[in-house]
Amino acid sequence: MRLHHWTHPRKEIEFNLNDGTARIFELSEDRSENSICPGYSASERRAFGGREHFAVYKLNSDIIFNAGKKSWNLSDDAVEVEHTRPYPFFSRFSVKVSGETEYSITYCHFGRLLYMCLDPTYDKLEQDADFFLEFVAENGSSKEWLSHVASQWRSASST
């Protein structure tokens, strides 16, 4: 499925639901501001391991989150996403279903944290761009956000 890149308007991500891999495609120009979004994709490198790919997208009337080939319906009240920073340079993201952790990743963000500290104009908008998983955790359980993207995004199944 073809999704928008989380931070780059001249890139799209081909996210493979079967194996959880992703390929980046360079666009010749920025996407039109009027292009209707099916969802977004980003990746993080595990603190002690390889790169993992993530996606949040609309599928029919549901908002789905993928971590690799695992997926969860964020519209399901039993699904909870959480993001914490247990250590200054590390973040932990997890997906829980009915209180049980089904997925967790710890990732390092030394460069982003350094940039946050050095840039006096760094704000919430830049933080959202830098931390895709944190954004998903902050919004993935919000009925207002889920309703908004369900009404504004197009279904990825039509791509």
Side-chain angles (χ1 to χ4, degrees):
M1 106 180 30
R2 198 79 173 251
L3 301 170
H4 291 187
H5 189 287
W6 181 241
T7 57
H8 298 283
R10 285 197 175 179
K11 293 182 181 179
E12 288 191 348
I13 306 286
E14 182 73 34
F15 191 90
N16 186 323
L17 297 174
N18 295 322
D19 63 11
T21 60
R23 290 188 319 156
I24 296 176
F25 289 89
E26 300 279 341
L27 304 174
S28 59
E29 56 188 40
D30 290 356
R31 280 185 300 274
S32 163
E33 288 185 25
N34 296 325
S35 68
I36 300 174
C37 178
Y40 290 93
S41 183
S43 64
E44 291 289 351
R45 183 171 305 283
R46 281 189 173 277
F48 304 104
R51 182 163 295 283
E52 299 235 9
H53 302 285
F54 305 97
V56 62
Y57 53 93
K58 180 179 178 181
L59 186 61
N60 301 317
S61 61
D62 295 321
I63 306 304
I64 307 297
F65 174 76
N66 268 71
K69 58 184 174 181
K70 297 179 183 178
S71 66
W72 298 268
N73 182 348
L74 295 178
S75 307
D76 182 345
D77 290 336
V79 175
E80 178 186 354
V81 286
E82 183 178 272
H83 187 274
T84 60
R85 291 193 186 150
Y87 308 103
F89 303 113
F90 291 93
S91 286
R92 181 174 295 127
F93 175 84
S94 60
V95 178
K96 296 178 182 180
V97 178
S98 300
E100 297 293 320
T101 301
E102 288 195 0
Y103 175 82
S104 181
I105 181 174
T106 300
Y107 62 98
C108 182
H109 47 74
F110 177 76
R112 287 175 274 186
L113 188 62
L114 185 61
Y115 184 73
M116 287 170 65
C117 294
L118 294 175
D119 182 357
T121 65
Y122 193 89
D123 61 11
K124 180 68 172 134
L125 187 63
E126 290 170 301
Q127 183 175 333
D128 286 346
D130 285 346
F131 293 92
F132 175 75
L133 295 176
E134 184 175 53
F135 178 87
V136 170
E138 288 176 355
N139 295 284
S141 299
S142 163
K143 296 296 180 201
E144 295 83 12
W145 184 78
L146 291 169
S147 175
H148 174 75
V149 297
S151 70
Q152 298 299 312
W153 291 3
R154 67 179 162 83
S155 181
S157 62
S158 66
T159 58

